[in-house]
Amino acid sequence: MAGAGRKAAAAAEPSNSDPQIELGLNAAIVMVRDQQPYILVARPGTAGPGTWDALPFGTFAPRAHRTLEIGLREWVKRQTGIELGYVEQLYTFGDRGRHAEPGGAHTLSVGYLALTRGAGEEAMGSHWSPWYAYFPWEDWRHGKPEILTEEIEPRLKEWAERPPSPNEPARPLRRPERLKIGFGIGGGWDEEKVLERYELLYEAGLVEEAKRDGRSAANQWGELPELGRPMALDHRRILATAMGRLRGKLKYRPVVFELLPPEFTLYELQKTVEAITGTLLHKQNFRRLVEKGGLVETTGNVSAETGGRPARLYRFRREVVLERPAPGLRVKAGRG
């Protein structure tokens, strides 16, 4: 019996033919400008093989990088010239077959979220690109996006009625239930579930990355419209993770101030929050929440660049992080 156990254990061990593992470090670097969120892409590109946008990325070198974060910062500096400030690690993805692999080592992708107040238009060949170009269904500031009603929801409903494929993993929730949770089909929209929505589109074969990766679901559709700009490797998946994390983080951490200049108007603060969440906020309720929460203090200066009456300038009151455990912006969507 003991011998049989050893044989079973040996059979379960990886063989020498298994590919080596390398760690890929990827940075979703976010800024807000002119009421729009942007991400930094490492190389310009339009949709098409070999030309898709990519996040700044590189491999972790244990002999050169003492920590993963140090490695990430060095890769970003090398590729864009930018010195990162606020950085937060996201998930690690290691799924086999999520992007075309020419051979060699299998990559575990470690994603990071980084926030900045902005940089030059061009940074060593990289450029700023609107993040809603990759996720057009996530911007509800002008009402429900047409791409949801006209393109995404009908196809997802059709996919939900199809029988599961033979190699599809068993899940605790049925497809219609997952659509209700992710896309609010038959329920409510949760702005934080950006990753869940992208994963559903990928699983249903509706995004270009699924077709590139040879997913069987993608072969069941005819000609499809482009549902957001695709990205190289698994970078749109990492960006979706960053978007969801930042949207959730706004509610319990004052990270929004990492995206604002040292002095700002309450209008600029509100529009920055709206740009990130993809929703509109009720003006008076938002201002009461910010002022009552002690998040900001006046500087005594005013801004004349408002297009109307001069507006007071504020700054983030850093003492608030010592006064309560979750000094974020728990705001509700609304107009006005």
Side-chain angles (χ1 to χ4, degrees):
M1 291 294 291
R6 284 194 294 269
K7 289 181 180 179
E13 290 178 358
S15 68
N16 292 332
S17 62
D18 281 345
Q20 298 297 308
I21 299 294
E22 67 179 22
L23 294 179
L25 308 175
N26 311 265
I29 306 172
V30 181
M31 80 163 181
V32 176
R33 180 178 62 196
D34 299 328
Q35 302 177 25
Q36 292 294 336
Y38 289 83
I39 59 134
L40 192 65
V41 294
R43 62 174 182 265
T46 55
T51 60
W52 291 355
D53 290 350
L55 301 173
F57 71 102
T59 56
F60 174 64
R63 296 184 185 278
H65 306 142
R66 184 167 53 85
T67 67
L68 297 179
E69 184 177 318
I70 288 174
L72 176 84
R73 291 179 183 274
E74 289 187 4
W75 276 115
V76 170
K77 178 70 179 298
R78 186 183 309 177
Q79 294 176 355
T80 69
I82 291 178
E83 295 273 6
L84 292 180
Y86 176 89
V87 170
E88 176 180 339
Q89 186 173 331
L90 303 169
Y91 300 150
T92 297
F93 295 113
D95 301 20
R96 184 165 50 87
R98 284 299 297 243
H99 54 76
E101 299 179 13
H106 175 68
T107 300
L108 296 180
S109 297
V110 185
Y112 283 83
L113 168 66
L115 306 181
T116 178
R117 293 184 172 92
E121 290 294 325
E122 298 294 332
M124 300 175 64
S126 59
H127 74 283
W128 295 99
S129 183
W131 80 2
Y132 289 125
Y134 307 95
F135 301 93
W137 56 87
E138 294 290 341
D139 189 359
W140 287 61
R141 289 175 294 173
H142 303 289
K144 185 176 180 179
E146 290 184 0
I147 195 171
L148 273 173
T149 304
E150 298 177 1
E151 304 291 350
I152 292 176
E153 289 182 350
R155 289 181 171 86
L156 284 176
K157 290 176 181 177
E158 179 182 340
W159 169 74
E161 294 174 357
R162 294 176 179 173
S165 59
N167 59 349
E168 184 172 327
R171 299 180 184 275
L173 297 177
R174 296 180 298 111
R175 287 178 178 178
E177 295 170 326
R178 295 168 62 203
L179 296 187
K180 181 177 181 179
I181 294 172
F183 279 89
I185 298 177
W189 181 267
D190 183 345
E191 71 272 9
E192 293 183 39
K193 296 190 181 300
V194 187
L195 177 61
E196 288 87 342
R197 286 187 279 275
Y198 175 72
E199 294 286 67
L200 280 167
L201 290 172
Y202 182 94
E203 185 181 338
L206 293 173
V207 291
E208 283 291 327
E209 290 90 335
K211 183 178 180 181
R212 174 202 63 192
D213 300 344
R215 297 300 185 183
S216 58
N219 298 327
Q220 299 179 30
W221 303 100
E223 194 69 24
L224 289 173
E226 183 179 275
L227 301 183
R229 189 183 303 169
M231 300 189 80
L233 307 175
D234 55 357
H235 287 188
R236 190 151 53 143
R237 189 188 195 190
I238 293 169
L239 179 57
T241 310
M243 289 175 64
R245 175 71 64 85
L246 182 53
R247 286 177 169 185
K249 197 97 172 180
L250 291 182
K251 299 175 182 177
Y252 61 93
R253 288 289 182 269
V255 293
V256 65
F257 299 103
E258 299 284 344
L259 298 166
L260 288 160
E263 294 189 358
F264 49 85
T265 65
L266 292 183
Y267 177 81
E268 290 172 324
L269 174 59
Q270 178 177 339
K271 291 303 175 182
T272 299
V273 174
E274 290 177 342
I276 295 298
T277 61
T279 58
L280 291 180
L281 305 173
H282 188 279
K283 179 179 177 181
Q284 296 304 323
N285 289 347
F286 177 80
R287 295 193 174 192
R288 279 195 294 268
L289 175 68
V290 171
E291 293 175 338
K292 184 178 179 181
L295 291 170
V296 299
E297 59 188 3
T298 60
T299 65
N301 299 325
V302 297
S303 171
E305 301 177 1
T306 60
R309 292 183 300 173
R312 289 182 181 179
L313 285 169
Y314 293 79
R315 61 173 164 248
F316 171 51
R317 195 173 70 85
R318 298 188 178 279
E319 294 81 3
V320 73
V321 299
L322 303 176
E323 296 169 357
R324 63 179 191 269
L329 291 164
R330 294 183 177 274
V331 293
K332 294 183 178 180
R335 295 184 178 272

